[in-house]
Amino acid sequence: MNLIAGHRALEAPVGVPVWDIDPYDPDVLVDPMPYYRQLRERGEVVFLRRYGVLAVGRYDTTKAVFTDYENFVSSRGVGLEDFAVTEPWRPPSIILETDPPDHTKARRVMARALSPKVAKECARLFEEEADALVDALLEKGTFEAVTEFAEIYPTTVFPKAVGMTEVHQRYLVDYGAMVFNAIGPDNALRRAAMAHAPEIVPWIMASCARDRLTKDGLGAMIYDTADTGEITLDEAGMLVRSFLSAGVDTTVTGIGNALWCLSQNPEQWELLKSDPSLIRPAFEEVLRFTSPVHTFCRTAGRPTQISGVPVEEGTKVVCVLGAANHDPDKWGDPENFRVDRRPVGHVAFGVGIHGCVGQNIARAELQAVLSAMVRKVDRIEAIGEPVWRPNNAIRALDKLPIRLTPQ
Ligand code: OVM
């Protein structure tokens, strides 16, 4: 047994199937569909012996755990580590790793800074940069879509939207890798990502300071709420850190995965080109189909149950969003990527009080990128094998060689 330090060696609750798989094995992370299927088929909830945790992957069950924030708390961490037992690697996020009532205030402030209205105000910046980047890539013709497109776009537009005055694109991407790999066990992936911490963490923290931000960005909006007394200056800095934690790797992955879906399904790209009103539904389908954030955990804050199975206080529950988004009971034909599916209720952004607060910004970025492509690109071809990059919480590409043909 390979338990996280400090974790209790939980026994499987009576009647719960025990499974020896390591879902954080890189081989599983780069090809997760068989694991997702088995997880759903083994039961409402399964016990992962290796980590002494429960796991859920059916749509209804995953949604039920995620929605029940009173029994399944976030304040003990949304990874395998129980913050009640072990020291987190960084001060906990005051929006992600909290419960009501603390969560409520931080959420309100962030929701205001990331509102549909603000996302709309970002649209022109997003469109200009998307048009310029797609033009430049069409000029090149062939390129590596992860490093030259997916990683470049969000690290160009998002720091501008936040109001960062000093940008280090590689540090932003690598910090995202740390944050999301930290959600998994203390494995080689997590350690490799954490090796960058001494260089990156101080830079990230310094970048959150008020005097490093412009007066007109999302960061300034957060600090302005400190002036009204709604939050403290320290809390404002922590919420800016949440922008930098959650706003980069996720959208990088969204773009890469969108390019993968469209290059692998040329008839769906043709359909999208013929009807640009499908851009938004197409992105939702990319989210459902690839689940950029594949896994988040919760912790039973008190004795409770999942589908009638008793769950002890302190039990970690691995919620596999990627499995829920491919549950055939919910989606019928989950293995088909269809830009006109309109997958209402997908859980790629989570669900409930912790549902992605930045989703309006993410959608605005993808709207800009896909709209530039639809206007300018005729064909999207994969010109080599796509390679996935294993990550304990993110399903992202490592390499995606692409050729774009202009219209
Ligand atoms: C945060 C945070 C970090 C990672 C993910 C996330 C998806 C939030 O620091 O608040 O939401």
Side-chain angles (χ1 to χ4, degrees):
M1 198 143 39
N2 181 8
L3 291 174
I4 310 288
H7 267 240
R8 289 183 297 144
L10 293 174
E11 305 246 353
V14 177
V16 172
V18 176
W19 198 9
D20 284 320
I21 193 172
D22 179 4
Y24 300 99
D25 182 321
D27 291 341
V28 176
L29 292 169
V30 299
D31 179 22
M33 291 302 159
Y35 154 62
Y36 292 167
R37 185 178 319 114
Q38 282 204 56
L39 174 63
R40 288 187 308 263
E41 287 175 359
R42 279 171 187 251
E44 290 286 358
V45 53
V46 307
F47 183 72
L48 300 179
R49 194 206 305 271
R50 186 183 174 101
Y51 299 109
V53 301
L54 298 176
V56 295
R58 293 184 185 175
Y59 178 84
D60 291 338
T61 322
T62 305
K63 190 169 168 177
V65 171
F66 248 56
T67 311
D68 185 1
Y69 64 87
E70 290 174 301
N71 285 306
F72 299 102
V73 302
S74 290
S75 55
R76 290 168 73 162
V78 297
L80 285 180
E81 279 180 334
D82 182 354
F83 292 179
V85 178
T86 55
E87 187 77 9
W89 70 281
R90 59 174 195 165
S93 161
I94 65 167
I95 181 162
L96 177 72
E97 293 151 333
T98 55
D99 304 318
D102 300 341
H103 168 264
T104 315
K105 185 177 64 175
R107 172 82 189 195
R108 185 183 328 118
V109 171
M110 287 294 259
R112 216 184 287 136
L114 299 166
S115 68
K117 177 168 170 282
V118 172
K120 213 166 169 193
E121 287 162 8
C122 292
R124 199 143 60 91
L125 164 70
F126 291 177
E127 285 158 15
E128 281 171 10
E129 297 286 351
D131 283 14
L133 182 55
V134 171
D135 284 341
L137 293 170
L138 275 166
E139 199 66 39
K140 287 191 82 157
T142 65
F143 56 92
E144 212 299 289
V146 174
T147 50
E148 297 184 77
F149 193 164
E151 291 182 347
I152 296 298
Y153 183 75
T155 58
T156 303
V157 299
F158 191 60
K160 281 188 187 167
V162 169
M164 295 178 79
T165 52
E166 220 182 276
V167 181
H168 200 310
Q169 289 176 298
R170 176 50 45 194
Y171 280 3
L172 288 170
V173 170
D174 288 349
Y175 188 65
M178 291 171 57
V179 166
F180 285 96
N181 275 306
I183 284 169
D186 180 23
N187 58 8
L189 292 170
R190 191 183 200 265
R191 278 185 233 130
M194 286 300 172
H196 298 280
E199 203 182 337
I200 296 175
V201 171
W203 181 82
I204 290 285
M205 293 317 289
S207 300
C208 297
R210 189 172 209 171
D211 63 7
R212 284 271 291 268
L213 298 164
T214 63
K215 300 262 178 276
D216 58 353
L218 305 181
M221 284 184 70
I222 300 294
Y223 273 105
D224 289 348
T225 66
D227 293 338
T228 70
E230 196 173 349
I231 54 172
T232 67
L233 283 167
D234 284 349
E235 287 172 328
M238 287 296 282
L239 291 177
V240 174
R241 192 193 70 172
S242 286
F243 284 154
L244 306 189
S245 303
V248 176
D249 245 30
T250 47
T251 44
V252 165
T253 304
I255 293 170
N257 291 5
L259 294 169
W260 177 72
C261 289
L262 295 169
S263 63
Q264 301 292 312
N265 298 276
E267 76 298 341
Q268 295 300 308
W269 167 242
E270 291 301 323
L271 187 56
L272 182 58
K273 261 193 315 181
S274 72
D275 182 1
S277 76
L278 289 174
I279 288 174
R280 165 86 180 257
F283 177 47
E284 300 303 319
E285 176 68 346
V286 168
L287 291 172
R288 182 201 67 80
F289 193 71
T290 67
S291 299
V293 176
H294 60 76
T295 303
F296 262 126
C297 302
R298 294 290 187 258
T299 314
R302 56 196 191 205
T304 179
Q305 54 83 32
I306 298 173
S307 306
V309 171
V311 173
E312 276 181 52
E313 183 274 328
T315 305
K316 276 284 176 185
V317 185
V318 175
C319 302
V320 186
L321 303 169
N325 278 337
H326 275 251
D327 185 342
D329 290 347
K330 168 70 181 174
W331 305 106
D333 63 339
E335 309 311 325
N336 295 330
F337 173 76
R338 293 197 276 110
V339 295
D340 58 354
R341 179 190 296 269
R342 302 178 193 270
V344 176
H346 75 71
V347 289
F349 284 129
V351 60
I353 63 167
H354 288 281
C356 179
V357 73
Q359 57 187 279
N360 303 307
I361 303 289
R363 289 198 180 99
E365 286 189 36
L366 266 291
Q367 175 76 37
V369 166
L370 293 176
S371 151
M373 304 257 304
V374 160
R375 278 180 281 112
K376 296 167 186 285
V377 174
D378 183 30
R379 286 199 299 162
I380 311 172
E381 288 168 274
I383 52 168
E385 263 312 292
V387 178
W388 293 92
R389 180 186 298 176
N391 178 299
N392 290 327
I394 291 226
R395 173 150 166 79
L397 288 148
D398 189 50
K399 291 192 175 63
L400 183 65
I402 287 279
R403 176 184 297 124
L404 294 185
T405 314
Q407 283 179 9

